[in-house]
């Protein structure tokens, strides 16, 4: 055993070799030395336990290069999202438009007027520029921006209803991803839930009967991630806003996804728009920036100026505010909505959602032969019609006609598809599909870079 130990190369000798000097120039001497010491310790442990060298002992520079490359790889890696979910929460939701990417780059590179008013040469408010744009697009009096819609809901409740009651329909006490539940948020915000109606039916008289001297808000929550069908009744925002006006109680609405355009004109499911709710008299409306809006993660609140001022003055606003990069991306995204007739081309989210199934078939037909040549021995490949979904947490029940290439094992080997999916996750640019009905599906709706995709799966 001592003979094996003596054959381990010294760190200083390794560092003098040309191959490792090249690695030192690329990754730095500190990181390289730490990696070599870890390798040396691993080798010592294996000698002690099994009286043998590790498999990589014959080529220390190659192993060091491999480990350094893995360490330097970003944790946020680009992937091919072929799951069939366009706004996939785990894969980053909306893809930013090119103007938004350019705005982030420019803002990151130089000083900007984040909280500086040029006219007065004094401190300004970081939401001000975007607030004016949001007011133009929605008809609201003012706007507030925080880091996501959950934060927007929390801020509205904490600022406007501390130690008081918020009236919500029982059918709208939703849970979204990560066990985010409306009742839990209310407790964290320091207000009390007053639920009315039943799971499937709530009437205006239920809200009216619930209002008392402790009532701070009437609240609507858009149930975008599930549907109740059949014997149902809900009170719309216009009715509730009229009741709130009559009783002197503000009405707030959590739209969740939120869309600034009528999606039905593109053949997509219609979603309530913030500007519609503002026009109907709702006091505050909150929605996400990185879902149907197609921008960065953000929570947007639009509505009455006096209420927005209370949100801006609340201590939580500073904790929940967004940084300059998010503001830059969001502003550039919102600017695109000034030209709605071009959105299908300029906004990646809308382009992917409106992609016609007929246009995906030629793509599938081009991809099938090279994929069969690579994988046809072990799997049966086929082009199959399928349905994509808009989002995993937003509108998951709405389906978009699409095409996929499916992989079915030719032999009954346990874990064949799981092993294939895992192998593809280890690629330089991982390919993420979905396992369903005994097949691995690659939904082509979100595939843009055809050549890189083929290089990953056929090389």
């Amino acid at each position: 055993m001592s003979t094996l130990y003596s054959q381990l190369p010294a760190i200083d000798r390794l560092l003098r070799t040309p191959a490792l000097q090249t690695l030192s120039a690329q990754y730095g001497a500190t990181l390289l030395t730490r990696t070599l010491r870890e390798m040396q310790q691993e080798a010592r442990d294996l000698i002690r336990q099994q009286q043998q060298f590790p498999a990589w002992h014959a080529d220390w520079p190659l192993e060091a290069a491999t480990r350094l490359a893995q360490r330097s790889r970003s944790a946020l890696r680009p992937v091919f999202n072929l799951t069939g979910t366009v706004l996939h929460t785990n894969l980053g939701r909306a893809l930013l438009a090119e103007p938004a990417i350019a705005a982030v780059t420019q803002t990151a590179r130089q000083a900007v007027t984040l909280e500086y008013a040029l006219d007065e040469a004094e401190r300004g408010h970081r939401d001000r520029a975007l607030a004016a744009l949001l007011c133009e697009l929605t008809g609201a009096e003012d706007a507030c921006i925080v880091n996501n819609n959950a934060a927007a809901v929390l801020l509205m409740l904490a600022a406007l209803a501390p130690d008081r009651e918020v009236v919500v329909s029982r059918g709208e006490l939703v849970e979204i991803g990560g066990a985010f539940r409306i009742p839990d948020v209310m407790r964290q915000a320091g207000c009390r839930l007053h639920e009315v109606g039943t799971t499937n039916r709530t009437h205006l008289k239920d809200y009216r009967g619930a209002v008392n001297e402790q009532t701070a808000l009437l609240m609507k929550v858009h149930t975008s991630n599930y549907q109740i069908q059949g014997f149902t009744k809900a009170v719309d925002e216009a009715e509730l806003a009229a009741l709130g006006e009559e009783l002197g109680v503000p009405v707030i609405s959590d739209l969740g996804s939120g869309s600034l355009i009528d999606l039905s004109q593109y053949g997509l499911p219609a979603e309530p728009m913030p500007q519609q709710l503002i026009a109907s008299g709702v006091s505050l409306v909150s929605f996400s920036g990185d879902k149907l809006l197609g921008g960065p993660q953000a929570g947007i609140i639009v509505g009455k100026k006096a209420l927005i001022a209370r949100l801006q003055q609340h201590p939580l606003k500073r904790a929940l505010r967004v940084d300059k990069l998010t503001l830059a991306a969001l502003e550039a995204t919102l600017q695109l909505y000034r030209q709605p007739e071009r959105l299908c081309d300029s906004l990646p989210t809308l382009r992917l959602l409106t992609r016609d199934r007929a246009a995906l078939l030629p793509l599938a037909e081009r991809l099938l032969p090279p994929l069969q040549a690579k994988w046809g021995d072990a799997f049966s490949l086929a082009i199959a019609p399928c349905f994509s979904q808009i989002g995993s947490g937003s509108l998951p029940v709405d389906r978009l006609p699409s095409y996929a290439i499916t992989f079915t094992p030719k032999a009954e080997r346990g874990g064949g598809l799981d092993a294939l999916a895992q192998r593809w996750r280890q690629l330089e640019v991982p390919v993420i599909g979905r396992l369903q009905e005994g097949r691995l599906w690659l939904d082509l709706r979100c595939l843009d870079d055809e050549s890189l995709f083929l290089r990953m799966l056929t090389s």
Side-chain angles (χ1 to χ4, degrees), residues 293-407:
L293 186 71
Q297 178 179 296
I300 301 168
I301 308 169
V302 295
K304 297 189 181 300
K305 194 175 189 67
L307 296 181
I308 293 291
R310 290 172 63 180
L311 304 186
Q312 297 286 14
Q313 294 161 9
H314 194 274
L316 269 180
K317 174 54 166 65
R318 183 174 181 85
L320 301 175
R321 69 183 183 178
V322 297
D323 74 332
K324 63 179 182 179
L325 302 183
T326 300
L327 289 171
L330 183 57
E331 180 183 22
T333 302
L334 291 170
Q335 289 283 1
L336 299 177
Y337 282 85
R338 284 177 156 168
Q339 298 177 299
E341 66 278 0
R342 298 183 180 180
L343 276 175
C344 268
D345 295 322
S346 61
L347 197 65
T349 293
L350 190 58
R351 177 177 58 81
L352 294 175
L353 291 177
T354 58
R355 204 169 182 183
D356 186 39
R357 172 189 265 182
L360 297 174
L361 183 57
L363 172 61
E365 291 171 339
R366 289 194 303 272
L367 294 173
L368 187 60
L371 292 177
Q372 280 180 322
K374 172 68 176 180
W375 301 99
D377 290 343
F379 298 91
S380 295
L381 281 70
I383 297 172
C386 65
F387 287 93
S388 310
Q389 65 179 19
I390 295 175
S392 49
S394 55
L395 286 79
V397 297
D398 293 296
R399 297 290 185 258
L400 308 173
S402 185
Y403 275 105
I405 295 179
T406 66
F407 290 69

Side-chain angles (χ1 to χ4, degrees), residues 2 10 46 57 64 84 96 122 131 143 263 292 307 319 387 432 437 455:
S2 59
L46 193 62
H57 176 70
L96 290 184
E122 60 185 23
L263 294 176
L292 293 175
L307 296 181
F387 287 93
I432 314 295
E437 300 171 351
R455 192 159 76 246

Side-chain angles (χ1 to χ4, degrees), residues 145-160:
I145 301 158
V146 289
N147 56 26
N148 59 25
N149 189 55
V153 174
L154 178 66
L155 180 60
M156 289 191 295
L157 295 172
L160 304 179

Side-chain angles (χ1 to χ4, degrees), residues 21-260:
Q21 286 180 351
T22 300
L23 290 178
S24 179
Q26 182 177 356
Y27 295 102
T30 301
L31 184 57
L32 174 59
T33 302
R34 184 189 311 155
T35 301
L36 291 173
R37 285 175 178 159
E38 290 173 357
M39 292 168 59
Q40 191 177 67
Q41 187 58 50
E42 286 180 22
R44 290 179 180 276
D45 291 342
L46 193 62
I47 291 172
R48 185 180 67 256
Q49 296 165 6
Q50 302 181 22
Q51 293 76 54
Q52 65 181 34
F53 291 123
W56 45 259
H57 176 70
D59 198 334
W60 284 65
L62 178 60
E63 178 67 14
T66 301
R67 296 189 182 203
L68 288 166
Q70 290 174 342
R71 279 186 166 180
S72 301
R73 178 183 289 169
S74 172
L76 298 177
R77 296 176 57 192
V79 301
F80 283 102
N81 173 18
L82 305 186
T83 62
T85 301
V86 178
L87 296 170
H88 198 299
T89 299
N90 304 128
L91 299 180
R93 290 187 180 156
L95 306 181
L96 290 184
E98 288 303 319
I101 295 170
V104 169
T105 302
Q106 179 180 356
T107 301
R109 185 172 285 137
Q110 61 193 76
V112 294
T113 54
L114 176 64
E115 293 183 354
Y116 187 83
L118 290 172
D119 292 340
E120 296 84 12
E122 60 185 23
R123 181 169 183 167
H125 198 287
R126 65 174 58 198
D127 290 355
R128 181 49 40 209
L130 270 69
L133 183 52
L134 282 163
C135 290
E136 174 190 327
L137 294 171
T138 66
E141 296 176 6
D142 204 352
C144 174
I145 301 158
V146 289
N147 56 26
N148 59 25
N149 189 55
V153 174
L154 178 66
L155 180 60
M156 289 191 295
L157 295 172
L160 304 179
D163 299 318
R164 299 183 68 193
E165 292 184 358
V166 179
V167 182
V168 187
S169 168
R170 182 169 290 140
E172 297 174 5
L173 298 177
V174 301
E175 175 182 319
I176 62 173
F180 175 91
R181 295 179 172 181
I182 291 296
D184 295 339
V185 176
M186 288 190 175
R187 281 192 291 272
Q188 290 296 321
C191 53
R192 298 190 299 276
L193 166 65
H194 189 149
E195 59 184 85
V196 295
T198 63
T199 303
N200 61 320
R201 292 179 69 81
T202 302
H203 303 269
L204 189 64
K205 64 182 181 181
D206 296 322
Y207 290 96
R208 182 184 293 275
V211 173
N212 58 68
E213 65 277 3
Q214 288 298 310
T215 304
L217 299 169
L218 302 178
M219 183 177 183
K220 283 286 290 182
V221 181
H222 180 47
T223 56
S224 61
N225 63 351
Y226 79 99
Q227 290 180 352
I228 298 176
Q229 297 179 331
F231 188 56
T232 63
K233 167 65 179 173
V235 176
D236 66 29
E237 285 81 2
E239 292 179 281
L240 198 59
L243 179 64
E245 179 71 20
E246 175 190 339
L247 301 178
V249 180
V251 175
I252 66 172
S253 177
D254 167 18
L255 273 187
S257 295
S259 174
L260 290 176

